[in-house]
Amino acid sequence: MRVIIQENYDKMCKWAADYIAAKINAHHETRPFVLGLPTGSSPIGVYRELIRKNKAGEVSFSNVITFNMDEYLGLPHEHDQSYWYFMHDNFFDHLVDMKPENINILNGMTEDPEGECARYEEKIAACGGIDLFMGGIGVDGHLAFNEPFTSLSSRTGIRALTTDTRIVNSRFFGNDPEKVPAYALSVGIGTVTDSKEVLVLISGHNKARALAQTVEGNVSHKWTCSALQMHNGAIIACDEAACGELTVDTYKYFLDIEKAERL
């Protein structure tokens, strides 16, 4: 595991966007580069920088296929809190060469949720697997909508949202947790860790415990983020504020090893 510690959120996002763009640019296979994407507040800065790079001609999305992590069950595309809406409003609609047919987001209005999830897994496999999956985690360490105690080998499926998650997300629904959908469709932990690389963004004091559990804690389904310890291509990009619960030696180690790799 690599842990990239940056001074603040903006620098963390800049590092992550630079890394993603470099991976896309270095992809010379005939098949498209397959990129996994999250929603939420964590990736917004990354999306802004990738948009800037795309408009400046520094990276092209013409040969990129995307798969999003999750979608609320029961929200139509046009709902301003659907993740389909979020992704188009914050990212896809601003790229100059993203092909609409290469965008994959779970259908929250499907009449066959289980079939939709199975088809999603099949399409990922048909595309050759995900090259790089970017993600964020919740304060309880959940990755996508894989809440605590979700199997670390789980696949794309229906997820019940915890009360805590609905309370946190209620800020987008008029501060009313009851308006937050109770269920979502989400890739599984196994889906994410099948990717060649996983890049997780962790920022802010409120994520400090989750970062410590991801890096230093035991591998446990109580903290689904801890599954990243078993992945050979896991990268954590974080800011200083999120490092508050790391031990001093761990913090110094990752600063030192990244400095050594830059030499």
Side-chain angles (χ1 to χ4, degrees):
M1 177 185 288
R2 294 179 65 187
V3 178
I4 309 297
I5 302 170
Q6 297 293 299
E7 182 180 355
N8 53 44
Y9 173 80
D10 289 340
K11 290 183 178 180
M12 177 195 77
C13 291
K14 176 67 164 57
W15 188 94
D18 287 347
Y19 188 84
I20 293 168
K23 287 293 179 176
I24 293 172
N25 289 337
H27 183 78
H28 299 304
E29 298 180 32
T30 54
R31 73 171 184 88
F33 185 86
V34 184
L35 178 64
L37 297 172
T39 54
S41 57
S42 295
I44 287 178
V46 179
Y47 290 148
R48 287 173 181 163
E49 179 61 14
L50 286 173
I51 291 166
R52 185 200 67 76
K53 286 177 175 292
N54 178 244
K55 290 181 175 179
E58 297 173 17
V59 63
S60 170
F61 282 82
S62 63
N63 195 40
V64 174
I65 292 177
T66 65
F67 285 89
N68 261 78
M69 279 190 158
D70 41 31
E71 178 59 282
Y72 286 116
L73 192 58
L75 288 192
H77 290 171
E78 60 270 16
H79 193 290
D80 64 3
Q81 293 307 317
S82 76
Y83 289 159
W84 188 99
Y85 186 99
F86 175 97
M87 289 304 303
H88 285 78
D89 188 47
N90 287 284
F91 192 46
F92 296 136
D93 287 351
H94 305 281
L95 298 173
V96 300
D97 57 0
M98 185 74 211
K99 298 174 181 176
E101 63 269 24
N102 285 348
I103 297 170
N104 295 281
I105 303 175
L106 286 155
N107 179 12
M109 294 300 290
T110 179
E111 295 182 359
D112 179 15
E114 292 184 356
E116 171 72 5
C117 294
R119 287 188 291 271
Y120 208 65
E121 287 278 343
E122 290 168 1
K123 191 165 185 181
I124 290 172
C127 289
I130 294 174
D131 294 295
L132 172 62
F133 218 135
M134 177 171 68
I137 64 173
V139 294
D140 60 2
H142 72 258
L143 185 61
F145 273 125
N146 296 292
E147 304 278 19
F149 302 107
T150 302
S151 169
L152 299 185
S153 61
S154 58
R155 313 304 303 187
T156 302
I158 305 166
R159 302 287 189 267
L161 276 59
T162 65
T163 299
D164 285 347
T165 293
R166 296 178 76 192
I167 289 172
V168 169
N169 289 0
S170 68
R171 67 190 188 277
F172 304 117
F173 292 83
N175 293 312
D176 183 356
E178 291 301 315
K179 292 182 179 178
V180 181
Y183 295 91
L185 303 181
S186 174
V187 297
I189 295 297
T191 313
V192 175
T193 55
D194 272 356
S195 307
K196 295 179 180 67
E197 290 187 281
V198 182
L199 169 59
V200 172
L201 310 170
I202 306 178
S203 65
H205 293 286
N206 63 329
K207 301 286 182 70
R209 188 181 179 202
L211 174 59
Q213 290 292 333
T214 303
V215 177
E216 298 179 332
N218 296 324
V219 176
S220 166
H221 62 177
K222 181 177 181 180
W223 293 87
T224 55
C225 56
S226 67
L228 296 174
Q229 294 180 29
M230 306 296 290
H231 196 291
N232 285 331
I235 304 171
I236 308 296
C238 61
D239 59 11
E240 288 279 356
C243 294
E245 294 200 21
L246 290 177
T247 61
V248 174
D249 282 348
T250 298
Y251 174 82
K252 288 182 175 179
Y253 168 80
F254 283 112
L255 284 178
D256 183 60
I257 199 70
E258 289 301 323
K259 180 181 178 181
E261 288 193 8
R262 287 193 295 266
L263 297 177

